[in-house]
Amino acid sequence: MKTRIVIPDDFPPAYMGHPELDRLRTLGEVAIYDSKAANADELVARLENADVAVNVRAYSRFDRDLLGRLPALKLISILGTGTDNVDLEAASDLGVVVANTPGASTASVAELNFALILAVARAVALSDRKVREGVWHHQHGMELYGKTIGIVGLGLIGAEVAKFAQAFGMNAVAWSFTHDPARAARLGIRLVDLDELFRISDVVSIHLRNSPEAAGLVGSRQIDLMKPGSIFVNTARAAIVDEDALLAALRGGRLAGAGLDVFSREPLPPDNPWVQLDNVVLTPHVGWVTHDSSERMMKMPVDNIVAFLEGNPANVVNPGALDRRH
């Protein structure tokens, strides 16, 4: 019997018309949907009898109820690293393996993250607008050399951003849920507690996955600890940060500025208060959006399916599911 592979959420289109879709079709029967499921019932209907789901968009929620209604499902192969739309505990309980694509977008996200740091530090967006308006405006900025960057979350992307910062002559400190002094030492990064990081950093950069323990981690208390004139950058997830507290600090002039690629509402509404601030640089959740990263991200979910079907699961984020399958 052929393996049934379903892409229930290829909207906006990613796999439609892509060569990796042809490769998927060599692995089994493939169904692809180029619209957003209206509700959980429609998502279940799309995934009925699927052995494998390729999850493209985070708006598709694989909660315990939905997973329980898909008894044939064996693998969810996610495009990207985020797994906050999947109940991993439920998936493990039900023997559904979840795999993602670690490292596929590391370089691209880190590069955009540092581009935002530079753009905020030197008021690039504001200067560009002023020149276009015919105004020869000089805005004093921050020189990064000799300054301290605080990395919140020392995973693949956080480590890459630290390398960029060090190349610019910055000192790097970090805090992470996973305390690994040996790794930090190899990277030339000093580990500090979270409060100290916010107190001593000239730039604070967020690099955590959206998880229950990370949600709301950065609140008004941490933001109030930041140096006057410092910079805040977030290319991770909006839910990690109290947006109201950050907004207040930027409006009040305590912080020099912020670079944001993620928001609590996406797309960002045109009347959102972020768009009214000249000291904030905004990008539309495009950290991973380069040709190079996109190609890696399109390929890896298919690679994960191949590995799973061959009996060698790769990039599994819920290893407990493998125990249930034996």
Side-chain angles (χ1 to χ4, degrees):
M1 189 173 178
K2 274 191 172 183
T3 300
R4 176 167 164 76
I5 303 168
V6 177
I7 307 175
D9 50 6
D10 195 49
F11 175 78
Y15 277 102
M16 193 68 74
H18 194 280
E20 289 299 326
L21 183 59
D22 295 331
R23 188 157 73 104
L24 268 181
R25 287 179 171 137
T26 69
L27 305 176
E29 171 195 325
V30 177
I32 183 168
Y33 295 85
D34 60 358
S35 63
K36 184 177 179 179
N39 49 47
D41 288 339
E42 184 174 350
L43 187 57
V44 168
R46 292 180 179 188
L47 290 164
E48 188 176 10
N49 297 321
D51 300 288
V52 175
V54 180
N55 173 214
V56 177
R57 305 298 175 192
Y59 55 66
S60 295
R61 310 296 299 183
F62 290 82
D63 57 21
R64 185 175 291 272
D65 177 69
L66 184 136
L67 291 169
R69 297 165 66 185
L70 299 170
L73 190 63
K74 303 176 183 67
L75 173 68
I76 301 172
S77 189
I78 295 175
L79 187 150
T81 57
T83 59
D84 45 297
N85 62 315
V86 181
D87 185 333
L88 295 178
E89 182 179 355
S92 295
D93 291 344
L94 295 166
V96 179
V97 175
V98 181
N100 65 354
T101 59
S105 61
T106 296
S108 292
V109 176
E111 287 174 3
L112 178 74
N113 194 95
F114 212 80
L116 288 173
I117 292 172
L118 288 167
V120 176
R122 298 306 302 272
V124 172
L126 176 63
S127 296
D128 176 82
R129 288 199 300 273
K130 292 294 185 182
V131 170
R132 292 172 190 273
E133 292 166 2
V135 178
W136 205 248
H137 173 81
H138 286 187
Q139 180 80 17
H140 279 81
M142 176 192 290
E143 184 177 275
L144 298 179
Y145 185 86
K147 300 298 194 301
T148 296
I149 185 169
I151 308 288
V152 181
L154 196 56
L156 294 174
I157 296 171
E160 198 70 13
V161 170
K163 291 177 188 175
F164 293 159
Q166 290 162 337
F168 272 77
M170 300 185 77
N171 305 306
V173 300
W175 174 91
S176 188
F177 285 116
T178 303
H179 188 77
D180 189 344
R183 180 169 179 269
R186 288 195 300 272
L187 293 167
I189 299 169
R190 182 165 64 94
L191 293 180
V192 296
D193 67 37
L194 193 61
D195 283 358
E196 184 180 0
L197 182 147
F198 276 87
R199 274 196 300 266
I200 68 175
S201 298
D202 300 287
V203 177
V204 172
S205 194
I206 306 300
H207 302 286
L208 295 171
R209 290 183 181 178
N210 190 14
S211 64
E213 59 184 350
L217 179 73
V218 179
S220 58
R221 181 172 175 279
Q222 287 74 31
I223 291 169
D224 287 346
L225 289 172
M226 291 179 69
K227 289 181 179 182
S230 56
I231 291 171
F232 186 91
V233 176
N234 188 5
T235 55
R237 287 292 188 270
I240 297 165
V241 181
D242 182 333
E243 287 188 326
D244 290 337
L246 179 59
L247 187 64
L250 290 162
R251 279 175 168 164
R254 277 199 63 254
L255 303 186
L260 303 174
D261 187 49
V262 289
F263 309 92
S264 56
R265 286 186 61 192
E266 296 180 5
L268 195 65
D271 60 348
N272 190 279
W274 291 125
V275 306
Q276 300 165 13
L277 298 178
D278 282 337
N279 59 344
V280 179
V281 179
L282 310 171
T283 51
H285 205 153
V286 293
W288 63 276
V289 184
T290 64
H291 293 298
D292 312 83
S293 172
S294 295
E295 287 307 305
R296 288 191 296 267
M297 288 182 70
M298 298 295 290
K299 181 176 182 295
M300 283 184 70
V302 183
D303 290 344
N304 288 340
I305 295 170
V306 171
F308 180 83
L309 295 177
E310 290 179 347
N312 301 299
N315 300 315
V316 175
V317 295
N318 63 333
L322 298 173
D323 298 333
R324 293 279 180 156
R325 297 194 57 77
H326 292 302

